[in-house]
PDB file of all heavy atoms in Angstrom:
ATOM      1  N   LEU A  43      -6.762   2.649  14.453  1.00 91.00           N
ATOM      2  CA  LEU A  43      -6.674   3.601  13.344  1.00 91.00           C
ATOM      3  C   LEU A  43      -7.970   4.389  13.203  1.00 91.00           C
ATOM      4  O   LEU A  43      -9.058   3.837  13.302  1.00 91.00           O
ATOM      5  CB  LEU A  43      -6.364   2.865  12.036  1.00 91.00           C
ATOM      6  CG  LEU A  43      -5.031   2.120  12.014  1.00 91.00           C
ATOM      7  CD1 LEU A  43      -4.907   1.264  10.767  1.00 91.00           C
ATOM      8  CD2 LEU A  43      -3.873   3.102  12.113  1.00 91.00           C
ATOM      9  N   THR A  44      -7.835   5.659  12.952  1.00 89.00           N
ATOM     10  CA  THR A  44      -8.979   6.553  12.783  1.00 89.00           C
ATOM     11  C   THR A  44      -9.206   6.816  11.290  1.00 89.00           C
ATOM     12  O   THR A  44      -8.379   6.439  10.452  1.00 89.00           O
ATOM     13  CB  THR A  44      -8.719   7.894  13.485  1.00 89.00           C
ATOM     14  OG1 THR A  44      -7.620   8.541  12.810  1.00 89.00           O
ATOM     15  CG2 THR A  44      -8.388   7.710  14.959  1.00 89.00           C
ATOM     16  N   HIS A  45     -10.309   7.495  10.975  1.00 85.00           N
ATOM     17  CA  HIS A  45     -10.558   7.894   9.582  1.00 85.00           C
ATOM     18  C   HIS A  45      -9.421   8.774   9.066  1.00 85.00           C
ATOM     19  O   HIS A  45      -9.005   8.641   7.913  1.00 85.00           O
ATOM     20  CB  HIS A  45     -11.887   8.647   9.455  1.00 85.00           C
ATOM     21  CG  HIS A  45     -13.081   7.774   9.581  1.00 85.00           C
ATOM     22  ND1 HIS A  45     -13.469   6.906   8.590  1.00 85.00           N
ATOM     23  CD2 HIS A  45     -13.977   7.628  10.579  1.00 85.00           C
ATOM     24  CE1 HIS A  45     -14.551   6.263   8.975  1.00 85.00           C
ATOM     25  NE2 HIS A  45     -14.877   6.679  10.189  1.00 85.00           N
ATOM     26  N   LYS A  46      -8.924   9.650   9.924  1.00 89.00           N
ATOM     27  CA  LYS A  46      -7.815  10.523   9.535  1.00 89.00           C
ATOM     28  C   LYS A  46      -6.581   9.694   9.182  1.00 89.00           C
ATOM     29  O   LYS A  46      -5.911   9.965   8.181  1.00 89.00           O
ATOM     30  CB  LYS A  46      -7.505  11.503  10.662  1.00 89.00           C
ATOM     31  CG  LYS A  46      -6.416  12.495  10.332  1.00 89.00           C
ATOM     32  CD  LYS A  46      -6.180  13.466  11.471  1.00 89.00           C
ATOM     33  CE  LYS A  46      -5.040  14.417  11.123  1.00 89.00           C
ATOM     34  NZ  LYS A  46      -4.749  15.339  12.200  1.00 89.00           N
ATOM     35  N   ASP A  47      -6.289   8.681  10.006  1.00 89.00           N
ATOM     36  CA  ASP A  47      -5.163   7.786   9.724  1.00 89.00           C
ATOM     37  C   ASP A  47      -5.354   7.092   8.375  1.00 89.00           C
ATOM     38  O   ASP A  47      -4.442   7.039   7.555  1.00 89.00           O
ATOM     39  CB  ASP A  47      -5.023   6.703  10.805  1.00 89.00           C
ATOM     40  CG  ASP A  47      -4.704   7.243  12.175  1.00 89.00           C
ATOM     41  OD1 ASP A  47      -4.009   8.269  12.284  1.00 89.00           O
ATOM     42  OD2 ASP A  47      -5.172   6.622  13.157  1.00 89.00           O
ATOM     43  N   LEU A  48      -6.553   6.560   8.158  1.00 89.00           N
ATOM     44  CA  LEU A  48      -6.828   5.825   6.926  1.00 89.00           C
ATOM     45  C   LEU A  48      -6.754   6.730   5.706  1.00 89.00           C
ATOM     46  O   LEU A  48      -6.268   6.307   4.643  1.00 89.00           O
ATOM     47  CB  LEU A  48      -8.186   5.131   7.012  1.00 89.00           C
ATOM     48  CG  LEU A  48      -8.251   3.993   8.025  1.00 89.00           C
ATOM     49  CD1 LEU A  48      -9.682   3.497   8.185  1.00 89.00           C
ATOM     50  CD2 LEU A  48      -7.331   2.854   7.628  1.00 89.00           C
ATOM     51  N   ASN A  49      -7.195   7.958   5.846  1.00 87.00           N
ATOM     52  CA  ASN A  49      -7.088   8.900   4.735  1.00 87.00           C
ATOM     53  C   ASN A  49      -5.621   9.183   4.415  1.00 87.00           C
ATOM     54  O   ASN A  49      -5.250   9.323   3.249  1.00 87.00           O
ATOM     55  CB  ASN A  49      -7.851  10.187   5.024  1.00 87.00           C
ATOM     56  CG  ASN A  49      -9.341   9.998   4.953  1.00 87.00           C
ATOM     57  OD1 ASN A  49      -9.836   9.106   4.260  1.00 87.00           O
ATOM     58  ND2 ASN A  49     -10.084  10.811   5.676  1.00 87.00           N
ATOM     59  N   GLY A  50      -4.788   9.268   5.447  1.00 90.00           N
ATOM     60  CA  GLY A  50      -3.352   9.448   5.239  1.00 90.00           C
ATOM     61  C   GLY A  50      -2.735   8.257   4.529  1.00 90.00           C
ATOM     62  O   GLY A  50      -1.939   8.414   3.598  1.00 90.00           O
ATOM     63  N   PHE A  51      -3.108   7.053   4.978  1.00 90.00           N
ATOM     64  CA  PHE A  51      -2.632   5.838   4.310  1.00 90.00           C
ATOM     65  C   PHE A  51      -3.098   5.805   2.859  1.00 90.00           C
ATOM     66  O   PHE A  51      -2.340   5.435   1.960  1.00 90.00           O
ATOM     67  CB  PHE A  51      -3.117   4.576   5.036  1.00 90.00           C
ATOM     68  CG  PHE A  51      -2.321   4.220   6.255  1.00 90.00           C
ATOM     69  CD1 PHE A  51      -2.925   4.189   7.494  1.00 90.00           C
ATOM     70  CD2 PHE A  51      -0.971   3.892   6.182  1.00 90.00           C
ATOM     71  CE1 PHE A  51      -2.210   3.837   8.636  1.00 90.00           C
ATOM     72  CE2 PHE A  51      -0.242   3.549   7.305  1.00 90.00           C
ATOM     73  CZ  PHE A  51      -0.863   3.516   8.538  1.00 90.00           C
ATOM     74  N   ALA A  52      -4.353   6.177   2.617  1.00 90.00           N
ATOM     75  CA  ALA A  52      -4.903   6.167   1.260  1.00 90.00           C
ATOM     76  C   ALA A  52      -4.149   7.147   0.370  1.00 90.00           C
ATOM     77  O   ALA A  52      -3.857   6.847  -0.793  1.00 90.00           O
ATOM     78  CB  ALA A  52      -6.394   6.482   1.282  1.00 90.00           C
ATOM     79  N   SER A  53      -3.804   8.304   0.895  1.00 90.00           N
ATOM     80  CA  SER A  53      -3.060   9.292   0.123  1.00 90.00           C
ATOM     81  C   SER A  53      -1.692   8.747  -0.286  1.00 90.00           C
ATOM     82  O   SER A  53      -1.277   8.884  -1.447  1.00 90.00           O
ATOM     83  CB  SER A  53      -2.906  10.569   0.956  1.00 90.00           C
ATOM     84  OG  SER A  53      -2.135  11.511   0.271  1.00 90.00           O
ATOM     85  N   THR A  54      -1.005   8.120   0.651  1.00 91.00           N
ATOM     86  CA  THR A  54       0.308   7.535   0.351  1.00 91.00           C
ATOM     87  C   THR A  54       0.163   6.368  -0.613  1.00 91.00           C
ATOM     88  O   THR A  54       0.929   6.247  -1.577  1.00 91.00           O
ATOM     89  CB  THR A  54       0.999   7.078   1.652  1.00 91.00           C
ATOM     90  OG1 THR A  54       1.111   8.197   2.527  1.00 91.00           O
ATOM     91  CG2 THR A  54       2.366   6.499   1.375  1.00 91.00           C
TER      92      THR A  54
END
Side-chain angles (χ1 to χ4, degrees):
L43 298 172
T44 65
H45 287 287
K46 183 178 178 182
D47 296 327
L48 292 172
N49 287 334
F51 280 118
S53 177
T54 303

